[in-house]
Amino acid sequence: MTVREFRARLAAVGDDELCCGTFWLAEDFLGINPTMTPDEIAAAMEYAEDHHDANEGFNWWHLEMAIDAVLLEGEGK
């Protein structure tokens, strides 16, 4: 999801509504592997979203797993 899409989703919710969540940016993926290209980052983000387990959540380990899957296993190709 892009920041624009994220903002649009939030715009549909009232300012005083309670919420809980987290989001990760490209710089977070680059913090794990600074050699990633924008396409690899997008593929890793998609992989992370598609393989999300609510019991584990989105965390550094989950991002590392997504990056490994894309770069080492060729999921992004």
Side-chain angles (χ1 to χ4, degrees):
M1 160 180 324
T2 64
V3 171
R4 177 177 310 196
E5 292 165 331
F6 194 71
R7 285 183 183 140
R9 187 170 179 188
L10 287 176
V13 180
D15 288 342
D16 295 324
E17 293 293 323
L18 296 173
C19 68
C20 180
T22 186
F23 66 94
W24 298 86
L25 300 170
E27 66 188 45
D28 298 311
F29 287 77
L30 291 171
I32 296 170
N33 184 330
T35 67
M36 294 181 76
T37 67
D39 287 343
E40 290 169 336
I41 293 168
M45 286 180 172
E46 183 175 345
Y47 186 96
E49 184 72 27
D50 291 347
H51 294 83
H52 174 248
D53 181 335
N55 290 313
E56 296 176 7
F58 273 85
N59 53 45
W60 288 112
W61 175 85
H62 189 69
L63 269 59
E64 290 170 358
M65 181 269 308
I67 291 168
D68 287 347
V70 168
L71 297 181
L72 300 177
E73 299 172 14
E75 289 285 338
K77 295 179 182 169

Coordinates of all heavy atoms in Angstrom, one line a residue:
M1 N 0.9 -1.2 0.0 CA 0.0 0.0 0.0 C 0.9 1.2 0.0 O 1.9 1.2 0.7 CB -0.9 -0.1 1.2 CG -1.5 1.2 1.7 SD -2.6 1.1 3.1 CE -3.4 -0.4 3.0
T2 N 0.5 2.2 -0.7 CA 1.3 3.5 -0.7 C 0.8 4.4 0.4 O -0.3 4.1 1.0 CB 1.1 4.2 -2.0 OG1 -0.3 4.6 -2.2 CG2 1.5 3.4 -3.2
V3 N 1.5 5.4 0.7 CA 1.1 6.4 1.7 C -0.2 7.0 1.4 O -1.1 7.2 2.2 CB 2.2 7.4 2.0 CG1 1.7 8.5 2.9 CG2 3.5 6.8 2.6
R4 N -0.4 7.3 0.1 CA -1.6 7.9 -0.4 C -2.8 6.9 -0.1 O -3.9 7.4 0.4 CB -1.6 8.1 -1.9 CG -2.9 8.7 -2.5 CD -2.7 8.9 -3.9 NE -1.5 9.8 -4.0 CZ -1.1 10.5 -5.0 NH1 -1.8 10.6 -6.1 NH2 0.0 11.2 -4.9
E5 N -2.6 5.6 -0.4 CA -3.7 4.7 -0.1 C -3.9 4.6 1.4 O -5.1 4.4 1.9 CB -3.3 3.3 -0.7 CG -3.3 3.3 -2.2 CD -2.6 2.1 -2.8 OE1 -1.7 1.6 -2.1 OE2 -3.0 1.7 -3.9
F6 N -2.9 4.6 2.2 CA -3.0 4.6 3.7 C -3.8 5.8 4.2 O -4.6 5.6 5.0 CB -1.6 4.5 4.3 CG -1.6 4.1 5.7 CD1 -1.9 2.8 6.1 CD2 -1.2 5.0 6.7 CE1 -1.8 2.4 7.4 CE2 -1.2 4.6 8.0 CZ -1.5 3.3 8.4
R7 N -3.4 6.9 3.7 CA -4.1 8.2 4.1 C -5.6 8.1 3.7 O -6.5 8.5 4.5 CB -3.5 9.4 3.4 CG -2.2 9.8 4.1 CD -1.7 11.1 3.4 NE -0.4 11.4 4.0 CZ 0.6 11.9 3.3 NH1 0.5 12.1 2.0 NH2 1.7 12.2 3.9
A8 N -5.9 7.6 2.5 CA -7.3 7.5 2.1 C -8.1 6.5 3.0 O -9.2 6.8 3.4 CB -7.4 7.0 0.6
R9 N -7.4 5.5 3.4 CA -8.1 4.5 4.3 C -8.4 5.2 5.7 O -9.4 5.0 6.2 CB -7.2 3.3 4.5 CG -7.9 2.2 5.3 CD -7.1 0.9 5.2 NE -7.8 -0.1 6.0 CZ -7.2 -1.2 6.3 NH1 -6.1 -1.6 5.8 NH2 -7.9 -2.1 7.0
L10 N -7.4 6.0 6.2 CA -7.6 6.6 7.4 C -8.6 7.8 7.3 O -9.3 8.1 8.3 CB -6.2 7.2 7.9 CG -5.2 6.2 8.4 CD1 -3.9 6.9 8.8 CD2 -5.8 5.5 9.6
A11 N -8.7 8.4 6.2 CA -9.6 9.5 6.0 C -11.1 9.1 6.2 O -12.0 9.9 6.5 CB -9.5 10.1 4.6
A12 N -11.3 7.8 6.0 CA -12.7 7.2 6.1 C -13.1 7.0 7.6 O -14.2 6.7 7.9 CB -12.8 5.9 5.3
V13 N -12.1 7.2 8.5 CA -12.4 7.0 9.9 C -12.3 8.4 10.6 O -11.5 9.2 10.3 CB -11.2 6.1 10.5 CG1 -11.5 5.9 12.0 CG2 -11.2 4.8 9.7
G14 N -13.3 8.5 11.5 CA -13.3 9.8 12.2 C -12.1 10.1 13.1 O -11.4 9.1 13.5
D15 N -11.8 11.4 13.2 CA -10.6 11.8 13.9 C -10.6 11.3 15.4 O -9.5 11.2 16.0 CB -10.4 13.3 13.9 CG -10.0 13.8 12.5 OD1 -9.5 13.0 11.7 OD2 -10.2 15.0 12.2
D16 N -11.7 11.1 16.0 CA -11.8 10.7 17.4 C -12.0 9.2 17.6 O -12.1 8.8 18.7 CB -12.9 11.5 18.1 CG -12.6 13.0 18.1 OD1 -11.5 13.4 18.3 OD2 -13.6 13.8 18.0
E17 N -11.9 8.5 16.5 CA -12.1 7.0 16.7 C -10.8 6.4 17.2 O -9.7 6.9 16.9 CB -12.3 6.4 15.3 CG -13.7 6.7 14.7 CD -14.8 6.2 15.5 OE1 -14.7 5.0 16.0 OE2 -15.9 6.8 15.6
L18 N -11.0 5.4 18.1 CA -9.8 4.7 18.6 C -9.2 3.8 17.5 O -9.9 3.3 16.7 CB -10.2 3.9 19.8 CG -10.7 4.7 21.0 CD1 -11.3 3.7 22.1 CD2 -9.6 5.6 21.6
C19 N -7.9 3.6 17.6 CA -7.3 2.7 16.6 C -6.0 2.2 17.2 O -5.5 2.7 18.2 CB -7.0 3.4 15.3 SG -5.8 4.7 15.3
C20 N -5.5 1.2 16.6 CA -4.2 0.6 17.0 C -3.5 0.1 15.7 O -4.2 -0.5 14.9 CB -4.4 -0.5 18.0 SG -2.9 -1.3 18.6
G21 N -2.3 0.3 15.5 CA -1.6 -0.3 14.4 C -0.2 0.2 14.2 O 0.3 0.9 15.1
T22 N 0.4 -0.3 13.2 CA 1.8 0.1 12.9 C 2.0 0.1 11.4 O 1.2 -0.5 10.7 CB 2.8 -0.9 13.5 OG1 4.1 -0.5 13.4 CG2 2.6 -2.3 13.0
F23 N 3.0 0.8 10.9 CA 3.3 0.7 9.5 C 4.8 0.8 9.3 O 5.5 1.3 10.2 CB 2.6 1.8 8.7 CG 3.0 3.2 9.0 CD1 4.0 3.8 8.3 CD2 2.4 3.9 10.1 CE1 4.4 5.1 8.6 CE2 2.8 5.2 10.3 CZ 3.8 5.8 9.6
W24 N 5.3 0.3 8.2 CA 6.7 0.2 7.9 C 6.9 0.9 6.6 O 6.1 0.9 5.7 CB 7.1 -1.2 7.8 CG 6.9 -2.0 9.1 CD1 5.8 -2.6 9.5 CD2 7.9 -2.2 10.1 NE1 6.0 -3.2 10.8 CE2 7.3 -3.0 11.1 CE3 9.2 -1.8 10.3 CZ2 8.0 -3.3 12.3 CZ3 9.9 -2.2 11.5 CH2 9.3 -2.9 12.4
L25 N 8.0 1.6 6.5 CA 8.4 2.3 5.3 C 9.6 1.7 4.6 O 10.3 0.8 5.2 CB 8.8 3.8 5.7 CG 7.6 4.6 6.4 CD1 8.2 5.9 6.9 CD2 6.5 4.8 5.4
A26 N 9.9 2.1 3.4 CA 11.0 1.6 2.7 C 12.3 1.7 3.4 O 13.1 0.8 3.4 CB 11.1 2.3 1.3
E27 N 12.4 2.8 4.2 CA 13.7 3.0 4.9 C 13.9 1.9 6.0 O 15.0 1.6 6.3 CB 13.7 4.4 5.6 CG 12.7 4.6 6.6 CD 12.6 6.0 7.1 OE1 12.6 7.0 6.3 OE2 12.5 6.2 8.4
D28 N 12.8 1.3 6.5 CA 12.9 0.2 7.4 C 13.5 -1.0 6.8 O 14.4 -1.7 7.3 CB 11.6 -0.1 8.0 CG 11.0 1.1 8.8 OD1 11.7 1.6 9.7 OD2 9.8 1.4 8.6
F29 N 13.1 -1.3 5.5 CA 13.6 -2.4 4.8 C 15.1 -2.2 4.4 O 15.9 -3.1 4.5 CB 12.8 -2.7 3.5 CG 11.4 -3.3 3.8 CD1 10.4 -2.5 4.3 CD2 11.2 -4.6 3.6 CE1 9.2 -3.1 4.6 CE2 10.0 -5.2 3.9 CZ 9.0 -4.4 4.4
L30 N 15.4 -0.9 4.1 CA 16.8 -0.6 3.8 C 17.7 -0.6 5.0 O 18.9 -0.9 4.9 CB 16.8 0.8 3.2 CG 16.3 0.9 1.7 CD1 16.2 2.4 1.3 CD2 17.1 0.1 0.8
G31 N 17.1 -0.4 6.2 CA 17.8 -0.6 7.4 C 18.3 -2.0 7.6 O 19.3 -2.3 8.3
I32 N 17.5 -3.0 7.1 CA 17.9 -4.4 7.2 C 18.9 -4.8 6.1 O 19.8 -5.5 6.3 CB 16.6 -5.3 7.1 CG1 15.8 -5.0 8.4 CG2 17.0 -6.7 7.0 CD1 14.4 -5.6 8.3
N33 N 18.6 -4.3 4.8 CA 19.4 -4.6 3.7 C 19.5 -3.3 2.8 O 18.6 -3.1 2.0 CB 18.8 -5.7 2.9 CG 19.7 -6.2 1.8 OD1 20.5 -5.3 1.2 ND2 19.7 -7.4 1.4
P34 N 20.6 -2.5 3.0 CA 20.7 -1.3 2.3 C 20.9 -1.4 0.8 O 20.9 -0.4 0.1 CB 21.9 -0.6 2.9 CG 22.6 -1.6 3.6 CD 21.7 -2.7 3.9
T35 N 21.1 -2.6 0.3 CA 21.3 -2.8 -1.2 C 20.0 -3.0 -2.0 O 20.0 -3.2 -3.2 CB 22.3 -4.0 -1.4 OG1 21.6 -5.2 -1.1 CG2 23.6 -3.8 -0.7
M36 N 18.9 -3.1 -1.3 CA 17.6 -3.4 -2.0 C 17.2 -2.3 -2.9 O 17.4 -1.1 -2.7 CB 16.5 -3.6 -0.9 CG 16.7 -4.8 -0.1 SD 15.3 -5.0 1.1 CE 14.0 -5.6 0.0
T37 N 16.6 -2.7 -4.1 CA 16.1 -1.8 -5.0 C 14.7 -1.4 -4.7 O 14.0 -2.2 -3.9 CB 16.1 -2.4 -6.4 OG1 15.2 -3.5 -6.5 CG2 17.5 -2.8 -6.8
P38 N 14.1 -0.4 -5.2 CA 12.7 -0.1 -5.0 C 11.8 -1.3 -5.3 O 10.8 -1.5 -4.6 CB 12.4 1.2 -5.8 CG 13.7 1.9 -5.9 CD 14.7 0.7 -6.0
D39 N 12.0 -2.0 -6.4 CA 11.2 -3.1 -6.8 C 11.3 -4.2 -5.8 O 10.3 -4.9 -5.5 CB 11.6 -3.6 -8.2 CG 11.2 -2.7 -9.3 OD1 10.3 -1.8 -9.1 OD2 11.7 -2.8 -10.5
E40 N 12.5 -4.5 -5.3 CA 12.7 -5.5 -4.3 C 12.0 -5.2 -3.0 O 11.4 -6.0 -2.3 CB 14.2 -5.7 -4.0 CG 14.9 -6.4 -5.2 CD 16.4 -6.4 -5.1 OE1 17.0 -5.5 -4.4 OE2 17.0 -7.3 -5.7
I41 N 12.0 -3.9 -2.6 CA 11.3 -3.4 -1.4 C 9.8 -3.6 -1.6 O 9.2 -4.2 -0.7 CB 11.7 -2.0 -1.1 CG1 13.1 -1.8 -0.7 CG2 10.7 -1.4 0.0 CD1 13.6 -0.4 -0.6
A42 N 9.3 -3.3 -2.8 CA 7.9 -3.4 -3.0 C 7.5 -4.9 -3.0 O 6.5 -5.3 -2.4 CB 7.5 -2.8 -4.4
A43 N 8.3 -5.8 -3.5 CA 8.1 -7.2 -3.5 C 8.1 -7.7 -2.1 O 7.3 -8.6 -1.7 CB 9.1 -8.0 -4.4
A44 N 9.1 -7.3 -1.3 CA 9.2 -7.7 0.1 C 8.0 -7.2 0.9 O 7.5 -8.0 1.8 CB 10.5 -7.3 0.7
M45 N 7.5 -6.0 0.7 CA 6.4 -5.5 1.4 C 5.1 -6.3 1.0 O 4.3 -6.7 1.9 CB 6.1 -4.0 1.0 CG 7.1 -3.1 1.6 SD 6.6 -1.4 1.1 CE 7.7 -0.5 2.2
E46 N 5.0 -6.7 -0.3 CA 3.9 -7.5 -0.7 C 3.9 -8.9 -0.1 O 2.9 -9.4 0.4 CB 3.8 -7.6 -2.2 CG 2.6 -8.4 -2.7 CD 2.6 -8.4 -4.3 OE1 3.2 -7.6 -4.9 OE2 1.8 -9.2 -4.8
Y47 N 5.1 -9.5 -0.1 CA 5.3 -10.8 0.5 C 5.0 -10.7 2.0 O 4.3 -11.6 2.6 CB 6.8 -11.2 0.4 CG 7.0 -12.7 0.8 CD1 7.0 -13.7 -0.1 CD2 7.3 -12.9 2.2 CE1 7.2 -15.0 0.4 CE2 7.5 -14.2 2.6 CZ 7.4 -15.3 1.7 OH 7.6 -16.5 2.1
A48 N 5.4 -9.7 2.7 CA 5.1 -9.5 4.2 C 3.6 -9.4 4.4 O 3.1 -10.1 5.3 CB 5.9 -8.3 4.7
E49 N 3.0 -8.7 3.6 CA 1.5 -8.5 3.7 C 0.8 -9.9 3.4 O -0.1 -10.3 4.2 CB 1.0 -7.5 2.7 CG -0.5 -7.2 2.8 CD -0.9 -6.4 4.1 OE1 0.0 -5.7 4.6 OE2 -2.0 -6.6 4.5
D50 N 1.2 -10.6 2.4 CA 0.6 -11.8 2.0 C 0.8 -12.9 3.0 O 0.0 -13.9 3.1 CB 1.0 -12.3 0.6 CG 0.5 -11.4 -0.5 OD1 -0.4 -10.5 -0.3 OD2 1.1 -11.5 -1.6
H51 N 1.9 -12.9 3.7 CA 2.3 -13.9 4.6 C 2.2 -13.5 6.1 O 2.8 -14.1 7.0 CB 3.7 -14.4 4.3 CG 3.8 -15.1 3.0 ND1 4.0 -14.4 1.8 CD2 3.8 -16.4 2.6 CE1 4.0 -15.2 0.8 NE2 3.9 -16.5 1.3
H52 N 1.4 -12.5 6.3 CA 1.2 -12.0 7.7 C 0.5 -13.0 8.6 O -0.5 -13.6 8.2 CB 0.5 -10.7 7.7 CG 0.1 -10.1 9.0 ND1 -1.2 -10.0 9.5 CD2 0.9 -9.7 10.0 CE1 -1.2 -9.5 10.7 NE2 0.1 -9.3 11.0
D53 N 1.0 -13.2 9.8 CA 0.3 -14.1 10.8 C 0.0 -13.1 11.9 O 0.9 -12.6 12.6 CB 1.3 -15.2 11.2 CG 0.7 -16.1 12.2 OD1 -0.3 -15.7 12.9 OD2 1.1 -17.3 12.3
A54 N -1.3 -13.0 12.2 CA -1.7 -12.1 13.3 C -1.1 -12.5 14.7 O -1.0 -11.7 15.6 CB -3.2 -11.9 13.3
N55 N -0.8 -13.8 14.8 CA -0.2 -14.2 16.1 C 1.2 -13.7 16.3 O 1.7 -13.6 17.4 CB -0.3 -15.8 16.2 CG -1.7 -16.3 16.3 OD1 -2.4 -15.8 17.1 ND2 -2.0 -17.3 15.5
E56 N 1.9 -13.5 15.2 CA 3.3 -13.0 15.2 C 3.4 -11.5 15.0 O 4.3 -10.9 15.5 CB 4.1 -13.8 14.2 CG 4.2 -15.2 14.5 CD 5.0 -16.0 13.5 OE1 5.6 -15.4 12.6 OE2 5.0 -17.3 13.6
G57 N 2.5 -11.0 14.2 CA 2.5 -9.5 13.9 C 3.6 -9.1 12.9 O 4.3 -10.0 12.4
F58 N 3.6 -7.8 12.6 CA 4.7 -7.3 11.8 C 5.8 -6.8 12.7 O 5.5 -5.9 13.6 CB 4.1 -6.1 11.0 CG 3.5 -6.4 9.7 CD1 2.2 -6.8 9.7 CD2 4.2 -6.4 8.5 CE1 1.6 -7.1 8.5 CE2 3.6 -6.7 7.3 CZ 2.3 -7.1 7.3
N59 N 6.9 -7.4 12.6 CA 8.1 -7.0 13.5 C 9.3 -7.2 12.6 O 9.3 -7.5 11.4 CB 8.1 -7.9 14.7 CG 8.0 -9.4 14.4 OD1 8.8 -9.8 13.5 ND2 7.2 -10.1 15.1
W60 N 10.5 -6.9 13.2 CA 11.7 -6.9 12.5 C 12.0 -8.3 11.9 O 12.4 -8.5 10.8 CB 12.9 -6.5 13.4 CG 12.9 -5.1 13.6 CD1 12.7 -4.5 14.9 CD2 13.1 -4.0 12.7 NE1 12.8 -3.1 14.7 CE2 13.0 -2.8 13.4 CE3 13.4 -3.9 11.3 CZ2 13.2 -1.5 12.8 CZ3 13.5 -2.7 10.7 CH2 13.4 -1.5 11.5
W61 N 11.6 -9.4 12.7 CA 11.8 -10.7 12.2 C 11.0 -11.0 10.9 O 11.4 -11.6 9.9 CB 11.5 -11.8 13.2 CG 11.5 -13.2 12.7 CD1 12.6 -14.0 12.6 CD2 10.5 -13.9 12.1 NE1 12.3 -15.2 12.0 CE2 11.0 -15.1 11.7 CE3 9.1 -13.6 11.9 CZ2 10.2 -16.1 11.1 CZ3 8.3 -14.6 11.3 CH2 8.9 -15.8 10.9
H62 N 9.7 -10.5 11.0 CA 8.8 -10.7 9.8 C 9.4 -10.0 8.6 O 9.3 -10.5 7.5 CB 7.4 -10.2 10.2 CG 6.4 -10.5 9.2 ND1 5.9 -11.8 9.0 CD2 5.7 -9.7 8.3 CE1 5.0 -11.7 8.0 NE2 4.8 -10.5 7.6
L63 N 9.9 -8.8 8.7 CA 10.5 -8.1 7.6 C 11.7 -8.8 7.1 O 11.9 -8.9 5.9 CB 10.8 -6.6 8.0 CG 9.7 -5.6 7.8 CD1 8.5 -5.9 8.5 CD2 10.3 -4.2 8.1
E64 N 12.5 -9.3 8.0 CA 13.7 -10.0 7.6 C 13.3 -11.3 6.8 O 13.9 -11.6 5.7 CB 14.6 -10.4 8.8 CG 15.3 -9.2 9.4 CD 15.9 -9.6 10.7 OE1 15.8 -10.7 11.2 OE2 16.5 -8.7 11.3
M65 N 12.3 -12.0 7.2 CA 11.8 -13.1 6.5 C 11.3 -12.8 5.1 O 11.6 -13.5 4.2 CB 10.7 -13.8 7.4 CG 10.1 -15.1 6.8 SD 8.6 -14.8 5.7 CE 7.5 -13.8 6.7
A66 N 10.6 -11.7 5.0 CA 10.1 -11.3 3.7 C 11.2 -10.9 2.8 O 11.2 -11.3 1.6 CB 9.1 -10.1 3.9
I67 N 12.2 -10.2 3.3 CA 13.4 -9.8 2.5 C 14.1 -11.1 2.0 O 14.5 -11.2 0.8 CB 14.3 -8.9 3.3 CG1 13.6 -7.5 3.4 CG2 15.6 -8.7 2.6 CD1 14.3 -6.6 4.4
D68 N 14.3 -12.0 2.9 CA 15.0 -13.2 2.6 C 14.3 -14.0 1.5 O 14.8 -14.5 0.5 CB 15.2 -14.1 3.8 CG 16.3 -13.6 4.7 OD1 17.1 -12.7 4.3 OD2 16.4 -14.1 5.9
A69 N 13.0 -14.0 1.6 CA 12.1 -14.8 0.7 C 12.2 -14.1 -0.7 O 12.4 -14.8 -1.7 CB 10.7 -14.8 1.1
V70 N 12.2 -12.8 -0.8 CA 12.3 -12.1 -2.1 C 13.7 -12.2 -2.7 O 13.9 -12.5 -3.8 CB 11.9 -10.7 -1.9 CG1 12.2 -9.8 -3.1 CG2 10.4 -10.6 -1.6
L71 N 14.7 -12.0 -1.8 CA 16.1 -11.9 -2.4 C 16.7 -13.3 -2.5 O 17.4 -13.5 -3.5 CB 17.0 -11.0 -1.5 CG 16.6 -9.6 -1.4 CD1 17.5 -8.9 -0.5 CD2 16.5 -8.9 -2.7
L72 N 16.5 -14.2 -1.6 CA 17.2 -15.5 -1.6 C 16.4 -16.5 -2.4 O 17.0 -17.4 -3.0 CB 17.5 -16.0 -0.2 CG 18.4 -15.0 0.6 CD1 18.6 -15.6 2.0 CD2 19.7 -14.9 -0.1
E73 N 15.1 -16.5 -2.3 CA 14.2 -17.5 -2.9 C 13.6 -17.0 -4.2 O 12.9 -17.8 -4.8 CB 13.1 -17.9 -1.9 CG 13.7 -18.5 -0.6 CD 12.7 -18.8 0.5 OE1 11.5 -18.7 0.1 OE2 13.1 -19.0 1.6
G74 N 13.8 -15.8 -4.6 CA 13.3 -15.3 -5.8 C 11.8 -15.0 -5.9 O 11.3 -15.0 -7.0
E75 N 11.2 -14.8 -4.7 CA 9.8 -14.6 -4.7 C 9.4 -13.3 -5.5 O 8.3 -13.1 -5.9 CB 9.2 -14.5 -3.3 CG 9.2 -15.8 -2.6 CD 8.1 -16.7 -3.1 OE1 7.1 -16.3 -3.6 OE2 8.3 -18.0 -2.9
G76 N 10.3 -12.4 -5.5 CA 10.0 -11.1 -6.1 C 10.1 -11.0 -7.6 O 9.9 -10.0 -8.3
K77 N 10.5 -12.2 -8.2 CA 10.8 -12.2 -9.7 C 9.6 -12.8 -10.4 O 8.8 -13.5 -10.0 CB 12.0 -13.0 -9.9 CG 13.2 -12.3 -9.3 CD 14.5 -13.1 -9.5 CE 15.6 -12.3 -8.9 NZ 16.8 -12.9 -8.7

